[in-house]
Amino acid sequence: MYERILVPTDGSKVAEAAVEHAIDIAERYGADVHAIFVADTDAIAYGLGTEQVDRIRQGQFEGMTELREDAEEATGYVTDAAEAAGLTAYERHAGGQPHRLIADYAEDNDIDLVVIGSHGRSGVRRALLGSVTERVLRSTHVPVLVVDYEPDD
């Protein structure tokens, strides 16, 4: 049923909870796991020049050490978990509008399931879902599993 599972990640605890679910499902079906980190250029464009934003849109984070490290750590977490479970993993770093790039990646790579956290790193928990998660739900025809995270008290 599932051959390719996509996990959008920003490295947050909510994203890590989604990774656990994605790996569990991938193990059951022998699916490949795809991890994508998208730098939201709309959110960061104000502080950067046009050239830097264009590089980010192309997934080139050179010269932006913190962003590159965040991307590598976030997708590396997914890859490490997948490989520990004996699964094949793929990583993608990109820049642009997260919901569009996630939906495009899912379509371009014949993704069977997207497993995404209910909200991201922003620290603001919305009444229902984070804006990226909600937009992903509206932007793709691929089934989407939304995972929430409850911190231990």
Side-chain angles (χ1 to χ4, degrees):
M1 175 175 260
Y2 301 116
E3 294 178 21
R4 288 167 296 282
I5 298 173
L6 175 61
V7 184
T9 181
D10 61 1
S12 65
K13 292 294 183 189
V14 178
E16 289 178 3
V19 171
E20 289 179 32
H21 286 270
I23 298 301
D24 184 60
I25 295 167
E27 282 182 297
R28 292 173 192 244
Y29 290 96
D32 293 341
V33 178
H34 295 246
I36 187 170
F37 175 96
V38 180
D40 186 347
T41 55
D42 288 346
I44 61 176
Y46 297 110
L48 299 175
T50 305
E51 183 179 318
Q52 286 179 305
V53 172
D54 286 342
R55 284 197 334 234
I56 291 170
R57 283 191 178 121
Q58 296 169 14
Q60 300 171 354
F61 301 159
E62 292 82 21
M64 293 167 251
T65 306
E66 186 175 340
L67 181 59
R68 181 178 38 78
E69 288 173 355
D70 287 349
E72 289 172 355
E73 184 177 331
T75 58
Y77 180 87
V78 179
T79 297
D80 291 347
E83 290 176 351
L87 303 167
T88 302
Y90 301 92
E91 294 183 33
R92 169 93 163 94
H93 303 149
Q97 293 181 318
H99 70 282
R100 286 197 177 145
L101 290 173
I102 292 165
D104 289 348
Y105 187 95
E107 183 177 328
D108 294 346
N109 293 278
D110 295 319
I111 297 296
D112 302 303
L113 177 67
V114 176
V115 181
I116 188 169
S118 59
H119 57 282
R121 226 182 237 279
S122 65
V124 177
R125 182 159 181 176
R126 309 267 162 112
L128 294 174
L129 297 174
S131 60
V132 170
T133 301
E134 185 174 341
R135 288 180 181 149
V136 167
L137 286 166
R138 295 179 195 198
S139 301
T140 184
H141 298 290
V142 174
V144 178
L145 172 62
V146 179
V147 177
D148 200 3
Y149 167 76
E150 291 292 325
D152 296 331
D153 290 333

